[in-house]
Amino acid sequence: MNEADVALKPKNLTMEEAASIQLAGLTAWQVLVERAHLKKGQKVLIHAGSGGVGTFAIQLAKHLGAMVATTTGTANVDLVKSLGADIVIDYKKDDSEKVLNGYDVVLNSLGKDTLERSLRVLKPGGKLISISGPPDTDFAKDNGSNWFLQQVMRLLSFGIRRKAKRHRASYSFLFMRANGEQLRTITSLIELGVIRPVLDRVFSFEATKEALAYIETGRSKGKVVVKVR
Ligand SMILES: NC(=O)c1ccc[n+]([C@@H]2O[C@H](COP(=O)([O-])OP(=O)(O)OC[C@H]3O[C@@H](n4cnc5c(N)ncnc54)[C@H](OP(=O)(O)O)[C@@H]3O)[C@@H](O)[C@H]2O)c1
């Protein structure tokens, strides 16, 4: 761990709450601020708004002044509304691509079907940014992958890039990186009360296996934390 990668813990959070921030917070920041350059008045669809990344991304996108639509299951509709989502699509009842259109950005954290259907939500020039794959060549290059791996990732993302082009949109994959400066900005937003962590359950270190099994159900809300001591 490099000292440039860390930041002081937000004063108003417990250690468990603070532990839930880094991965989800930096991912949301790097998708919405760094990659999408999300601006006031733009429209963003955040898939799985009740998940770890989603709960953070909704609040950040609202702070940036965007109009936020999100997908979630029936049981979590009230949660995502409480985080500021303007339009909530219950994926058990509706398909986002049938209800939404003219969006500037989609943050995808779900599977291939959702990824491809999300293109229909975007306006021409819109950005489809996925954190759940497939990886693309720029990611391979940034990652220092060799020529062969770059070609593998080019092939893995060929289909979705071609489909995005047909929709006059762009596709990119993002894998978060540690960044102390961004974490410090996130800390100040948390201390100002702009963003609050959503913590589902805290497991003891001895119960790590149960924690992982719980996450694998795909039903957790916000973050799950393992307490080491
Ligand atoms: N590339 C990166 O740097 C990076 C960083 C972080 C995470 N990730 C990846 O991003 C993905 C999401 O991670 P996460 O931790 O945010 O997810 P998560 O917390 O595990 O997501 C769980 C949530 O997803 C919702 N959900 C499940 N199926 C859904 C569907 N079809 N439509 C809408 N919502 C649905 C669930 O709500 P219901 O119970 O209501 O269904 C639940 O609240 C994972 O694949 C993870 O590996 C990548």
Side-chain angles (χ1 to χ4, degrees), residues 23-24 27 47-54 71-76 89 91-92 108-110 114 130-132 173-177 215 218-223:
L23 179 72
T27 305
H47 280 298
S50 51
V53 175
T71 57
T72 191
T74 318
N76 292 317
I89 292 150
Y91 70 84
K92 294 181 177 163
N108 178 63
S109 57
L110 296 168
T114 306
S130 180
I131 59 169
S132 48
F173 172 73
L174 185 138
F175 195 83
M176 65 78 70
R177 312 166 324 276
I215 292 167
R219 299 281 80 79
S220 53
K221 292 184 264 296
K223 292 298 288 185

Side-chain angles (χ1 to χ4, degrees), residues 54-225:
T55 49
F56 201 100
I58 291 172
Q59 299 179 80
L60 179 58
K62 285 308 297 173
H63 171 66
L64 296 169
M67 214 278 290
V68 179
T70 193
T71 57
T72 191
T74 318
N76 292 317
V77 169
D78 288 343
L79 168 69
V80 295
K81 278 188 184 161
S82 77
L83 298 172
D86 300 290
I87 300 177
V88 181
I89 292 150
D90 180 345
Y91 70 84
K92 294 181 177 163
K93 296 180 184 158
D94 274 319
D95 293 323
S96 52
E97 74 279 6
K98 290 188 183 143
V99 184
L100 309 173
N101 59 67
Y103 274 61
D104 298 278
V105 179
V106 176
L107 191 177
N108 178 63
S109 57
L110 296 168
K112 188 169 180 270
D113 281 358
T114 306
L115 182 72
E116 295 190 354
R117 288 191 275 112
S118 293
L119 285 170
R120 292 182 221 152
V121 169
L122 287 170
K123 69 180 195 190
K127 295 172 187 163
L128 173 57
I129 303 171
S130 180
I131 59 169
S132 48
D136 58 9
T137 326
D138 284 344
F139 164 68
K141 285 182 189 157
D142 293 347
N143 209 17
S145 300
N146 61 30
W147 180 86
F148 177 72
L149 277 178
Q150 287 181 27
Q151 300 319 308
V152 169
M153 294 195 204
R154 186 192 300 277
L155 279 177
L156 286 172
S157 58
F158 178 75
I160 186 66
R161 283 187 292 110
R162 193 179 54 175
K163 286 180 180 135
K165 211 169 170 183
R166 271 196 221 131
H167 280 265
R168 290 185 288 149
S170 68
Y171 169 78
S172 67
F173 172 73
L174 185 138
F175 195 83
M176 65 78 70
R177 312 166 324 276
N179 185 317
E181 199 183 324
Q182 291 174 355
L183 265 186
R184 278 190 287 281
T185 312
I186 289 171
T187 291
S188 58
L189 291 177
I190 290 171
E191 288 179 346
L192 286 169
V194 172
I195 291 174
R196 65 173 167 96
V198 177
L199 205 55
D200 186 333
R201 286 175 67 182
V202 179
F203 288 83
S204 67
F205 182 64
E206 293 71 29
T208 301
K209 214 171 136 193
E210 286 82 353
L212 291 172
Y214 180 56
I215 292 167
E216 275 169 19
T217 64
R219 299 281 80 79
S220 53
K221 292 184 264 296
K223 292 298 288 185
V224 172
V225 168

